[in-house]
Amino acid sequence: MNTPSRQIVVMASGTGSLLASLLEAADRPDFPARIAAVVTDRECRAQKLADDRGIASAVVSLRDYPDRAAWGKALLDEVSRHQPDFIVAAGFMKILDGEFIGRYRNRIINAHPALLPSFPGARAVADALAHGVRVTGSTIHLVDDGVDTGPILAQEPVIIRPDDDEQTLHERIKAVERDLLVRVVTDFATKSIDIQGRKARLL
């Protein structure tokens, strides 16, 4: 059995469905990385998923700090303590500050429930429905200093049905997103990345 050589910290905020898919993948002997820790910004199911697996977990809540700068430093310190080779933001609903992004430039992967650059931000599913588009999907991209503006690593479409509401559409996007994220993380752990401006390729 191969020993994973790459360390990942996963950051999450909610139900942990993306984290669960990564944990299942990490159980496979051929998965090329180890989930070293899960860091959340609130008490949530993602933390419990980590605890149930004996994976280190921590909550770094914004409300426990006097301002966002102090929270950002605490978050960076907690993540860095686990010495990750790269970081996966799997439903992490806080914007990272410049110091954090600078420390891990081109090593933070984010999953977004839309086909960027369309519908960035926290309301991506609702915005796609409100706009009346016929196709949306999932994007896996690198985090940069903007909001969902980093180089795109992979995308997969999801057709919007006439009877979709936000919940039904989001569930179908998440089903696609889980598989897509595992594939990208696997490639990111085993390949080199070539970035030319806004374009990124795993080689």
Side-chain angles (χ1 to χ4, degrees), residues 9-165:
V9 169
V10 179
M11 301 196 304
S13 295
T15 62
S17 60
L18 290 172
L19 170 62
S21 67
L22 290 170
L23 290 169
E24 290 172 10
D27 285 340
R28 300 197 302 258
D30 60 340
F31 191 69
R34 171 180 171 266
I35 298 175
V38 173
V39 178
T40 67
D41 68 324
R42 65 194 71 179
E43 298 284 346
C44 60
R45 181 172 175 265
Q47 181 191 16
K48 184 178 186 305
L49 288 174
D51 294 344
D52 288 347
R53 298 261 184 150
I55 295 171
S57 70
V59 179
V60 184
S61 175
L62 180 58
R63 66 185 180 185
D64 292 335
Y65 296 88
D67 53 39
R68 198 173 186 94
W71 172 79
K73 182 180 185 305
L75 182 67
L76 177 58
D77 288 347
E78 178 59 39
V79 169
S80 298
R81 188 169 69 83
H82 301 284
Q83 300 181 312
D85 293 296
F86 61 99
I87 296 160
V88 180
F92 189 72
M93 299 305 292
K94 291 286 191 298
I95 295 174
L96 301 173
D97 65 22
E99 184 179 359
F100 193 112
I101 292 168
R103 174 80 66 87
Y104 292 102
R105 177 79 59 184
N106 297 329
R107 292 192 289 154
I108 309 170
I109 297 170
N110 184 52
H112 182 75
L115 295 177
L116 295 172
S118 296
F119 312 118
R123 289 181 46 81
V125 178
D127 288 347
L129 282 169
H131 201 79
V133 297
R134 305 299 178 88
V135 180
T136 185
S138 174
T139 300
I140 311 300
H141 67 98
L142 295 173
V143 174
D144 67 3
D145 297 297
V147 177
D148 298 323
T149 57
I152 291 169
L153 298 172
Q155 290 183 305
E156 194 161 319
V158 173
I159 300 297
I160 297 178
R161 298 170 181 165
D163 60 345
D164 265 329
D165 58 23

